[in-house]
Amino acid sequence: MSTIRGARERARVEVTAAIKDEARKQLAEEGAAKLSLRAVSRELGMVSSALYRYFPSRDDLLTALIVDAFDAIGEVAERAASGERAGAVPPAERWIAVACAVREWALAHPHEYALIYGSPVPGYIAPMDTVGPASRVGLVFIDIVRAASRADDLAVPSLAPELRSDAERMAAEFAPDVPPAAVAALVAAWAQLFGLISFELFGQFNRVVEAREPLFRQAAGELARSVGLRAAKP
């Protein structure tokens, strides 16, 4: 009986992977707003009722793709951070390594990046299942700043008085052991990093910036310093 169950589970895993692969193909060709379970089932030679046993709705399939994308980019960020051990290199170098790894993933997976950081899909509301995976990259940057703070290697940035209450709230929510001023600067830097990636990926740098990788690396270093991380090596 266990052999039969194991075969069924393997078959389900394989079919689920095939469904998601075809859905990613449709994302690349049509965009997330036009993702259709019927179209996916047709391309796979499945009846739509069979596909619904795997993903009851378009939104369930979208959620699975979103979670996969967030997990993929999160894993890349975590691997880059672990490759630059805390204390072995300046904190800003770790920050830059993570930022560059995230950019490289985005350039290699533009449609998945667009799904999670591009325009919202009309009618789709992301469930709580996406929150943990969506937090992975941000948590890597927080860990870099936290490690620098614990090592007394963080130059805490200034904080406008009108931002203090919000900075304290954010720090209490997701980085209670990091100075609120650094948390506020980190959120701003995180948004700017993804803004740079989106500008490059979505064409805003066309006929404007040619040396995009050097520009991004320099900007990432400047953002690291804005958070209070020790300057990167020249």
Side-chain angles (χ1 to χ4, degrees), residues 1-15 54:
M1 190 66 165
S2 61
T3 301
I4 295 174
R5 184 181 301 112
R8 287 175 176 170
E9 290 173 353
R10 287 194 298 274
R12 185 173 182 85
V13 168
E14 290 172 1
V15 173
Y54 294 85

